[in-house]
Amino acid sequence: MKLSDQWLREWVDPRLDAKALSERLTLAGLEVANLQPALPPFTDVVVGAVATVTPHPQSSRLTVCEVDIGKRKVRVVCGAPNVAPGLRAPLALIGATLANGKAIERVAIQGVESEGMLCSAAELGLSDDASGLLVLDAKARPGIPLAKYLGENDVVYEIDLTPNRGDCLSVVGIAREVAVLTGAKLKAPRPARVRVGTRDRRSVRLRAAADCPRYTGRVIRNIRNDAHTPVWMLERLRRAGVRAIHPVVDIMNYVMLERGQPMHAFDLDKLEGGIGVRPAV
């Protein structure tokens, strides 16, 4: 399994650096096969706030954007379909290097000079999604280095778990082990309770109570179709080796990775009757 050091230290923070901690885990039987930086090797990429978007005078597929980077604004030619005023997205400045080694230079694109490049997640090596710009949090400060915004000092442990250590297939599981091995205090985050907002119900029938003695669910309505998974969650999933799919699925996977509790989301409109819990075969 893969695990972010920053995520782990929210639960337990021993006085050991990542290398020393990986050695301690390995000696305890949780072999850390690899320890690597969490971020791809891009440089000179900052948070940009798109101020204005105007049509390119020579191309219907391109736009000319004025992008705020804190102390100044730069002009960037962009072809992304989701670029819009107010959007915050990664901006590779002149002289920047992307994850694939591409260097950003001052260029004229169909007669309009561009002073950088607004980036997708794929161009930064963060995922294979090249469908549009990587949407950052609306409160991200323009001009801050993207690496700092994403958590530049993080590393990822790749732990080879043996079949008898299924209890360690989560952040909680590894955190418990670290607490025992180092004497550091285990500090479980306390999420805020969310009140039930609907009286809708779906019946649940346990047909394999010995294998699954408890099964719970909740009906959730009014999910926004235009919602995006926040970047901090996307990054934690990526660092755990999980591909982002959809905000609902991403939340399920996030809870499973952190708590070790398998979860699944159903489309209520396609769910006929109740839920029967039984073996697959």
Side-chain angles (χ1 to χ4, degrees):
M1 66 171 292
K2 292 183 177 181
L3 175 63
S4 157
D5 182 67
Q6 289 182 353
W7 196 355
L8 175 64
R9 290 181 189 272
E10 284 189 1
W11 285 81
V12 61
D13 191 8
R15 295 181 179 179
L16 296 172
D17 62 20
K19 183 177 180 181
L21 181 55
S22 66
E23 293 172 353
R24 184 73 62 89
L25 287 169
T26 298
L27 290 173
L30 303 178
E31 181 183 358
V32 179
N34 194 17
L35 187 66
Q36 60 186 14
L39 290 177
F42 54 77
T43 62
D44 292 328
V45 181
V46 301
V47 173
V50 180
T52 62
V53 178
T54 57
H56 191 290
Q58 302 297 328
S59 173
S60 60
R61 297 184 300 104
L62 299 175
T63 57
V64 180
C65 307
E66 190 175 54
V67 183
D68 182 4
I69 56 172
K71 295 183 179 180
R72 61 189 179 95
K73 294 180 180 179
V74 298
R75 183 173 57 185
V76 177
V77 177
C78 180
N82 63 333
V83 67
L87 180 74
R88 277 163 169 72
L91 174 67
L93 301 171
I94 302 299
T97 303
L98 301 185
N100 61 4
K102 178 181 178 179
I104 304 301
E105 301 176 347
R106 188 186 303 271
V107 295
I109 301 177
Q110 295 196 27
V112 178
E113 189 175 83
S114 183
E115 302 175 280
M117 185 175 83
L118 290 164
C119 301
S120 67
E123 289 161 333
L124 297 170
L126 298 174
S127 79
D128 57 1
D129 184 5
S131 61
L133 303 178
L134 175 62
V135 178
L136 305 179
D137 186 87
K139 295 182 180 179
R141 180 163 58 86
I144 186 175
L146 184 69
K148 182 177 181 179
Y149 169 77
L150 295 177
E152 60 186 334
N153 296 321
D154 195 14
V155 294
V156 174
Y157 304 93
E158 186 171 350
I159 305 174
D160 287 343
L161 292 176
T162 51
N164 64 321
R165 295 311 307 266
D167 58 304
C168 290
L169 281 170
S170 65
V171 178
V172 174
I174 298 297
R176 288 172 178 159
E177 291 293 308
V178 171
V180 171
L181 292 171
T182 66
K185 182 180 180 180
L186 186 66
K187 46 181 182 179
R190 294 185 178 182
R193 296 187 64 181
V194 178
R195 296 181 61 184
V196 176
T198 177
R199 294 182 179 273
D200 292 352
R201 297 287 188 273
R202 278 292 187 275
S203 64
V204 175
R205 179 186 295 180
L206 291 178
R207 299 176 180 174
D211 299 319
C212 179
R214 183 175 176 82
Y215 186 105
T216 61
R218 174 177 287 190
V219 175
I220 300 174
R221 292 192 176 276
N222 301 320
I223 293 176
R224 287 174 47 193
N225 291 328
D226 61 342
H228 295 277
T229 303
V231 172
W232 66 266
M233 184 177 287
L234 292 176
E235 270 300 285
R236 286 195 170 179
L237 292 174
R238 182 188 67 82
R239 296 174 196 195
V242 176
R243 183 173 62 89
I245 298 174
H246 180 277
V248 174
V249 178
D250 296 343
I251 291 169
M252 301 291 109
N253 286 334
Y254 184 90
V255 174
M256 179 182 68
L257 290 169
E258 182 175 71
R259 307 279 173 157
Q261 174 61 59
M263 302 186 73
H264 187 74
F266 300 96
D267 187 334
L268 194 63
D269 292 335
K270 297 179 181 179
L271 189 63
E272 297 181 3
I275 296 174
V277 182
R278 60 173 178 78
V281 293

